[in-house]
Coordinates of all heavy atoms in Angstrom, one line a residue:
E147 N -3.1 0.6 -23.1 CA -4.6 0.8 -23.1 C -5.4 -0.5 -22.8 O -6.4 -0.4 -22.1 CB -5.0 1.5 -24.4 CG -4.5 2.9 -24.5 CD -5.3 3.8 -25.4 OE1 -6.2 3.2 -26.1 OE2 -5.1 5.0 -25.4
D148 N -4.9 -1.6 -23.2 CA -5.6 -2.8 -22.9 C -5.4 -3.2 -21.4 O -6.4 -3.7 -20.8 CB -5.0 -4.0 -23.7 CG -5.4 -3.9 -25.2 OD1 -6.4 -3.3 -25.5 OD2 -4.6 -4.4 -26.0
V149 N -4.3 -2.9 -20.8 CA -4.1 -3.1 -19.4 C -5.0 -2.1 -18.6 O -5.7 -2.5 -17.6 CB -2.6 -2.9 -19.0 CG1 -2.5 -2.9 -17.5 CG2 -1.8 -4.0 -19.6
I150 N -5.0 -0.8 -19.0 CA -5.8 0.2 -18.4 C -7.3 -0.2 -18.5 O -8.1 0.0 -17.5 CB -5.6 1.6 -19.0 CG1 -4.1 2.0 -18.7 CG2 -6.6 2.6 -18.5 CD1 -3.7 3.3 -19.5
A151 N -7.7 -0.7 -19.6 CA -9.1 -1.1 -19.8 C -9.5 -2.2 -18.8 O -10.6 -2.2 -18.2 CB -9.4 -1.6 -21.2
G152 N -8.6 -3.2 -18.6 CA -8.8 -4.3 -17.7 C -9.0 -3.7 -16.3 O -9.9 -4.1 -15.5
Q153 N -8.1 -2.8 -15.9 CA -8.2 -2.2 -14.5 C -9.5 -1.4 -14.4 O -10.1 -1.3 -13.3 CB -7.0 -1.4 -14.2 CG -5.6 -1.8 -14.7 CD -5.2 -3.2 -14.3 OE1 -6.0 -4.1 -14.0 NE2 -3.9 -3.4 -14.2
G154 N -9.9 -0.8 -15.5 CA -11.1 0.0 -15.4 C -12.4 -0.8 -15.1 O -13.4 -0.2 -14.6
T155 N -12.4 -2.1 -15.2 CA -13.5 -2.9 -14.8 C -13.8 -2.8 -13.3 O -15.0 -3.0 -12.9 CB -13.3 -4.4 -15.2 OG1 -12.2 -4.9 -14.5 CG2 -13.1 -4.5 -16.7
V156 N -12.8 -2.5 -12.5 CA -13.0 -2.2 -11.1 C -14.0 -1.0 -10.9 O -15.0 -1.1 -10.1 CB -11.7 -1.9 -10.3 CG1 -12.0 -1.7 -8.9 CG2 -10.8 -3.0 -10.5
G157 N -13.9 0.0 -11.7 CA -14.8 1.2 -11.7 C -16.2 0.8 -12.0 O -17.2 1.3 -11.4
L158 N -16.4 -0.1 -13.0 CA -17.7 -0.5 -13.4 C -18.4 -1.3 -12.3 O -19.6 -1.1 -12.1 CB -17.7 -1.3 -14.7 CG -17.1 -0.7 -16.0 CD1 -17.2 -1.7 -17.1 CD2 -18.0 0.6 -16.3
E159 N -17.6 -2.1 -11.6 CA -18.2 -2.9 -10.5 C -18.6 -2.0 -9.3 O -19.7 -2.2 -8.7 CB -17.2 -3.9 -10.0 CG -16.9 -5.0 -11.0 CD -16.0 -6.1 -10.4 OE1 -15.6 -6.0 -9.2 OE2 -15.5 -7.0 -11.2
I160 N -17.8 -1.0 -9.1 CA -18.2 0.0 -8.0 C -19.5 0.7 -8.3 O -20.4 0.8 -7.5 CB -17.0 1.0 -7.8 CG1 -15.8 0.3 -7.2 CG2 -17.5 2.1 -6.8 CD1 -14.6 1.2 -7.1
L161 N -19.6 1.2 -9.6 CA -20.9 1.8 -10.0 C -22.1 0.9 -9.9 O -23.2 1.3 -9.6 CB -20.7 2.4 -11.4 CG -19.7 3.6 -11.5 CD1 -19.6 4.1 -12.9 CD2 -20.0 4.8 -10.6
S162 N -21.8 -0.4 -10.3 CA -22.9 -1.3 -10.2 C -23.4 -1.6 -8.8 O -24.6 -1.7 -8.5 CB -22.4 -2.6 -10.9 OG -23.4 -3.7 -10.8
D163 N -22.4 -1.7 -7.9 CA -22.7 -2.1 -6.5 C -23.2 -0.9 -5.7 O -23.9 -1.1 -4.7 CB -21.5 -2.8 -5.9 CG -21.2 -4.1 -6.5 OD1 -22.1 -4.7 -7.2 OD2 -20.1 -4.6 -6.3
L164 N -22.7 0.3 -6.0 CA -23.0 1.5 -5.2 C -23.3 2.6 -6.2 O -22.5 3.5 -6.4 CB -21.9 1.8 -4.3 CG -22.1 2.9 -3.2 CD1 -23.1 2.3 -2.2 CD2 -20.9 3.3 -2.5
P165 N -24.5 2.7 -6.8 CA -24.8 3.7 -7.8 C -24.7 5.1 -7.3 O -24.5 6.0 -8.1 CB -26.3 3.3 -8.2 CG -26.4 1.8 -7.8 CD -25.6 1.7 -6.6
D166 N -24.9 5.3 -6.0 CA -24.9 6.7 -5.5 C -23.6 7.1 -4.9 O -23.5 8.0 -4.1 CB -26.0 7.0 -4.6 CG -26.1 6.0 -3.4 OD1 -25.4 4.9 -3.5 OD2 -26.8 6.2 -2.4
V167 N -22.5 6.4 -5.2 CA -21.2 6.7 -4.7 C -20.9 8.2 -5.0 O -21.2 8.7 -6.1 CB -20.1 5.8 -5.3 CG1 -20.1 5.9 -6.8 CG2 -18.8 6.0 -4.7

Side-chain angles (χ1 to χ4, degrees):
E147 295 207 345
D148 290 331
V149 171
I150 293 171
Q153 322 305 27
T155 60
V156 180
L158 297 182
E159 288 183 11
I160 292 172
L161 293 180
S162 172
D163 294 343
L164 192 68
D166 56 346
V167 60

